[in-house]
Amino acid sequence: MSIGNSPEDERPFENEHVEADHEEARPSIGRALQQARIAAGLTVDDVSSATRVRMNIVHAIEADDFSACGGDVYARGHIRTLAKAVRLDPAPLLAQYGDEHGGRPAPTPAAPLFEAERIRPERRGPNWTAAMVAAIVAVVGFVGFTMVRGDDGSNEANVAEGSTPGDSASPTTKTKKPADPEPEPSDSAIAAAPQDKVTVRVAAADGRSWIAAKDHNGRMIFDGVLKQGDTKTFQDSSKVHLVLGDAGAIDLFVNGKKIEENFQPGSVERLTYTKGDPEAG
């Protein structure tokens, strides 16, 4: 008789090694977000400005510390927002967060009392308003009929005294002024932009891209993702600052002129435009 572990005793030990290798192969949520941000060429400040998530929370999430988020609901929202900003699918990260933190929180059921109050029948009294309206309409109709009959006699007298029947019977015709020809549309709506302002039009021609735009005071005008085919126009009195998450997918028109830049797909570009001829700062 041999003494030692049987093959059945060794199988659980092997399964534990397989599960451990699988866990090591999958990066953590924070690590995945950090790697995607670095690959996109964005800093923590860029992501914080684009998503309005504070920098300390971005740093904490990239370190897999979700205590600063204020709860599971806010943590899931931050994960989804940061993933979209760095062009990462949020669904696997949210599923991973659910596996590690007890699943998705159950929705709060609606109060049944509200439904009962909403469908309760309403008691109605006599519709005095409709009765009054009907009476007024009858009176106005009678008065109008009487006035029409009186006008018929007076019209005949006027025709006999001065005007000819043909003149009174024919209605006065008005010559309609011909409509001014509509101007042909210009190649771009930006071409008619005021000369005393800077106007920037951004078009996602070759794909989707994250866009951030600020005015001359540094205030955020827009931050979000443009899908392919979408356009946005920004205008300021002196200066517009842009950050393009995927500059290769974007067509730019500044003060009526197309910017002919050979932006590479996936490149992040920070640009500034002023009045007059387009000048990138």
Side-chain angles (χ1 to χ4, degrees):
M1 178 181 296
S2 61
I3 300 175
N5 293 329
S6 65
E8 289 78 6
D9 295 333
E10 294 177 356
R11 289 174 185 170
F13 181 73
E14 294 175 357
N15 291 336
E16 290 176 0
H17 275 288
V18 172
E19 292 177 358
D21 293 341
H22 177 72
E23 292 296 331
E24 291 178 358
R26 182 174 67 173
S28 66
I29 297 173
R31 180 63 176 167
L33 291 172
Q34 185 184 51
Q35 290 176 346
R37 175 180 59 77
I38 294 174
L42 301 174
T43 65
V44 174
D45 187 18
D46 293 335
V47 175
S48 177
S49 298
T51 62
R52 299 183 182 178
V53 178
R54 294 195 301 271
M55 290 181 61
N56 63 322
I57 295 180
V58 177
H59 280 297
I61 291 177
E62 290 188 353
D64 294 306
D65 179 9
F66 302 97
S67 60
C69 296
D72 283 348
V73 175
Y74 295 103
R76 291 173 184 273
H78 290 331
I79 291 172
R80 182 180 293 104
T81 301
L82 295 179
K84 291 181 179 179
V86 298
R87 299 189 294 277
L88 198 63
D89 185 7
L93 299 180
L94 293 174
Q96 183 176 350
Y97 182 86
D99 294 340
E100 297 174 357
H101 295 83
R104 185 178 184 87
T108 303
L113 181 60
F114 175 77
E115 292 297 329
E117 290 290 340
R118 187 167 62 87
I119 63 176
R120 179 178 298 172
E122 182 179 336
R123 297 181 61 185
R124 296 183 179 179
N127 195 347
W128 296 109
T129 303
M132 291 179 63
V133 170
I136 293 173
V137 170
V139 172
V140 171
F142 178 77
V143 173
F145 177 74
T146 304
M147 293 179 64
V148 169
R149 292 193 61 184
D151 290 342
D152 289 342
S154 62
N155 287 339
E156 292 177 0
N158 291 334
V159 170
E161 289 176 359
S163 302
T164 63
D167 293 337
S168 60
S170 61
T172 303
T173 59
K174 295 182 179 180
T175 304
K176 185 177 180 181
K177 183 179 179 180
D180 295 333
E182 296 183 357
E184 297 182 358
S186 59
D187 294 338
S188 171
I190 306 302
Q195 298 297 320
D196 60 341
K197 295 182 180 179
V198 55
T199 304
V200 178
R201 178 186 173 198
V202 183
D206 298 326
R208 55 183 293 165
S209 175
W210 167 71
I211 304 294
K214 296 181 180 179
D215 63 8
H216 70 282
N217 291 322
R219 290 185 299 236
M220 186 69 69
I221 304 174
F222 174 81
D223 67 280
V225 176
L226 292 186
K227 298 179 181 179
Q228 186 172 3
D230 290 348
T231 61
K232 282 288 182 182
T233 301
F234 312 114
Q235 195 173 75
D236 187 74
S237 60
S238 60
K239 190 177 296 184
V240 172
H241 304 278
L242 288 178
V243 179
L244 307 179
D246 186 356
I250 296 298
D251 285 345
L252 281 178
F253 300 85
V254 179
N255 301 331
K257 294 183 180 180
K258 184 176 181 180
I259 303 301
E260 301 293 345
E261 293 286 349
N262 189 19
F263 294 135
Q264 297 300 317
S267 65
V268 178
E269 298 290 339
R270 294 171 177 82
L271 309 167
T272 300
Y273 293 103
T274 57
K275 295 183 292 185
D277 289 336
E279 296 179 359

